[in-house]
Amino acid sequence: MNLILCDDDKVFLNKLEIRIRGLCQKHKIAVEMECYVSAKEMLEGIKNLDEISVFFIDIDMPEVNGFEVASYLKKWNRECCIVFVSNKDDLVFQSLVYHPFFFIRKAHLDEELEPQLLELQKKAGKKVPQIELQTGRQSVKLALRDIWFVESEKNYLLFYREKDTRDEAIRVRMKMSEAEKKLEAHKFVRTHKGYLVNMNYVYRLREKELLLLNGKSIPVSRNYLNQVRMKIMGVVME
């Protein structure tokens, strides 16, 4: 695993690094690690964010705080895992907006770090789930993590990635019920008769719409509102 540690408290940062190296040695986990005492220094020092899998980030830091860092990292590499490490226990609910892998309390580091490190190792070894789509005569394999939402268009479905316009979306002859059956086990939820959304990219639920991290607004009909709320709660509780 490639890890980045960032905390403006040098004493705690050193303690965290020692604990992680010790646990990795204990469980035979290959690890590469870099440590930074400021978020600004970290963002300037990282050469390739796509290769970094896990970030351990303090929240209460000067200049750029941990939440601002998390927002930037998720836009750059949405599959990276962010672990907030903080002594501000009251920020745990606020942190959920950034879809962290976990929130470790500094006062409970020794008891909370090891199980989460093992879970991170499992996650790193998992294969990326995909869906195979038939577009005319061609077959396209698309990683589920790349699908932000699905929209119906008469007898077709449009599979949208983060920056796709309507013309760029992958167009497939398929029923929405079929897509829902294939995707519902992977954090996708039906929000409307014409929409299916990847909950990993939901920023906020408003009265009649879901706002995604890329700014796109997806309608939520009355018939699906409770289902959407339950799905959001399920993601938060994981």
Side-chain angles (χ1 to χ4, degrees), residues 28-149:
K28 296 180 172 58
I29 301 173
V31 64
E32 293 185 13
M33 197 165 6
E34 294 180 44
C35 299
Y36 295 90
V37 293
S38 82
K40 185 177 180 181
E41 179 186 327
M42 181 195 78
L43 294 175
E44 291 174 350
I46 298 173
K47 295 179 180 179
N48 190 349
L49 279 173
D50 293 327
E51 295 180 359
I52 307 300
S53 56
V54 183
F55 293 83
F56 285 80
I57 305 172
D58 184 22
I59 296 175
D60 188 18
M61 294 186 289
E63 293 186 299
V64 182
N65 66 50
F67 289 156
E68 292 170 326
V69 172
S71 179
Y72 175 82
L73 293 175
K74 284 293 186 179
K75 288 179 181 178
W76 189 281
N77 177 8
R78 55 184 175 269
E79 288 303 308
C80 70
C81 291
I82 294 174
V83 179
F84 288 121
V85 186
S86 178
N87 57 12
K88 303 281 187 179
D89 296 1
D90 57 316
L91 294 177
V92 62
F93 292 108
Q94 191 176 340
S95 75
L96 297 176
V97 172
Y98 305 94
H99 301 280
F101 185 81
F102 200 72
F103 187 107
I104 291 178
R105 298 167 294 173
K106 287 187 175 182
H108 298 268
L109 180 67
D110 290 337
E111 60 194 82
E112 294 180 354
L113 178 60
E114 185 170 12
Q116 295 312 313
L117 199 61
L118 293 176
E119 286 300 315
L120 285 166
Q121 182 192 26
K122 290 179 185 177
K123 182 178 175 66
K126 287 183 179 179
K127 292 183 178 180
V128 177
Q130 297 179 324
I131 186 172
E132 189 168 352
L133 302 173
Q134 196 68 35
T135 59
R137 295 182 179 180
Q138 292 185 327
S139 179
V140 177
K141 288 185 178 180
L142 187 62
L144 300 189
R145 67 187 184 189
D146 290 335
I147 304 170
W148 281 58
F149 67 96

Side-chain angles (χ1 to χ4, degrees), residues 217-237:
S217 177
I218 305 295
V220 178
S221 69
R222 184 185 303 174
N223 291 338
Y224 292 98
L225 182 57
N226 286 337
Q227 176 178 306
V228 171
R229 285 173 174 163
M230 291 297 292
K231 195 76 172 184
I232 289 176
M233 287 300 298
V235 171
V236 168
M237 294 300 291

